[in-house]
Amino acid sequence: MTTVTSADGTEIAYDSAGIGPALVLVDGAMCYRAAGPMRPLAALLTSAFTVLTYDRRGRGESGDTQPYAAEREVEDLQAVMRAAGGRAALYAMSSGGALALATAAADPGVTGLVLYEPPFLGGDKEYTARLGELLAAGRRGDAVELFMTTVGVPAPVIAGMRGGPGWSTLEAIAPTLAYDDTLLGDGRVPGELPVSVPMLVVSGTASPAAMQQAAQATAAAFPTAEHRSLAGQTHDVQPDALAPIMIDFLLG
């Protein structure tokens, strides 16, 4: 593990492995290097890229300087890119797609984008308000449960998780749920962003229709973007299904 210092002094932890052009993997909500989909995916990409995985602020081994602003997360990602030489492609999962798009709009060092099911679903003001209330009251476990319920995790599964040993880890990063909500804004595709690098937006044919439609709408909003469907994949996409199309798109 290595750290890089972001513009506001926050230490951001990252790992780097592989050979080739730089590729930074950007997690979605509730994930970080040690808990989420990026390490298995990185293992399949290191033969083609120098792959950087990092802990977004407030997660894992990264710091969390307050107050939060979406611009600070963009600066964090830019700092990781600088550690890779200043130029990198970005792969982003779910709500990490909003961060990747904002960074591509702000930094000419972004060479390409691959987004998997960015959840531009129109926003949910009730969720935003309730999440803020729970976090302000220190009810982190309830905030995690609210998020999981909102994304469709069945109640019995959540109840089982709350009694498990990993729940405290989820509670520790619960405040970052508000960060992702902030990045997603009003929930609309940010088609006004000046993003002109090659972009691939991917969705799974077994994902909910709304997620597939959001991916298609994201691709349609940017002139350099294309959409691709992965047969049989859900929002929990399998690395061996995703890695080959990433390599083909970014290096082809």
Side-chain angles (χ1 to χ4, degrees):
M1 186 271 290
T2 310
T3 63
V4 65
T5 304
S6 192
D8 70 348
T10 303
E11 293 296 308
I12 302 298
Y14 74 95
D15 290 319
S16 178
I19 57 173
L23 170 63
V24 183
L25 308 186
V26 184
D27 273 308
M30 300 304 291
C31 296
Y32 55 101
R33 284 179 305 145
M38 294 310 190
R39 279 186 174 171
L41 178 61
L44 299 178
L45 296 170
T46 52
S47 62
F49 302 97
T50 299
V51 182
L52 292 92
T53 55
Y54 79 106
D55 292 336
R56 289 173 54 187
R57 69 171 51 206
R59 312 181 190 199
E61 296 178 284
S62 288
D64 193 17
T65 305
Q66 296 295 312
Y68 177 81
E71 292 80 5
R72 303 293 81 76
E73 284 228 65
V74 170
E75 291 166 355
D76 298 345
L77 183 45
Q78 289 176 305
V80 176
M81 290 174 56
R82 286 196 300 272
R87 291 177 59 80
L90 306 178
Y91 164 71
M93 173 68 189
S94 194
S95 54
L99 174 55
L101 283 168
T103 304
D107 197 316
V110 176
T111 59
L113 290 173
V114 178
L115 311 180
Y116 190 82
E117 295 191 352
F120 295 117
L121 301 170
D124 185 338
K125 292 182 179 179
E126 290 186 7
Y127 168 78
T128 298
R130 184 57 177 158
L131 178 64
E133 292 170 358
L134 292 172
L135 291 173
R139 295 169 57 186
R140 292 187 174 194
D142 291 337
V144 174
E145 181 170 342
L146 173 69
F147 168 75
M148 289 185 169
T149 300
T150 301
V151 299
V153 179
V157 174
I158 297 174
M161 293 178 67
R162 289 199 75 145
W167 190 256
S168 61
T169 301
L170 297 178
E171 289 186 345
I173 62 172
T176 67
L177 289 169
Y179 302 173
D180 281 82
D181 195 55
T182 297
L183 283 162
L184 287 168
D186 62 7
R188 295 182 296 176
V189 177
E192 75 284 356
L193 289 178
V195 178
S196 57
V197 297
M199 184 192 313
L200 176 65
V201 187
V202 186
S203 59
T205 62
S207 284
M211 295 300 296
Q212 297 183 57
Q213 292 162 5
Q216 293 164 5
T218 301
F222 296 94
T224 58
E226 61 182 89
H227 172 260
R228 193 175 305 180
S229 293
L230 283 180
Q233 295 298 309
T234 67
H235 195 60
D236 186 21
V237 62
Q238 296 303 301
D240 58 356
L242 183 61
I245 69 167
M246 290 179 61
I247 293 171
D248 178 68
F249 178 77
L250 293 173
L251 297 182

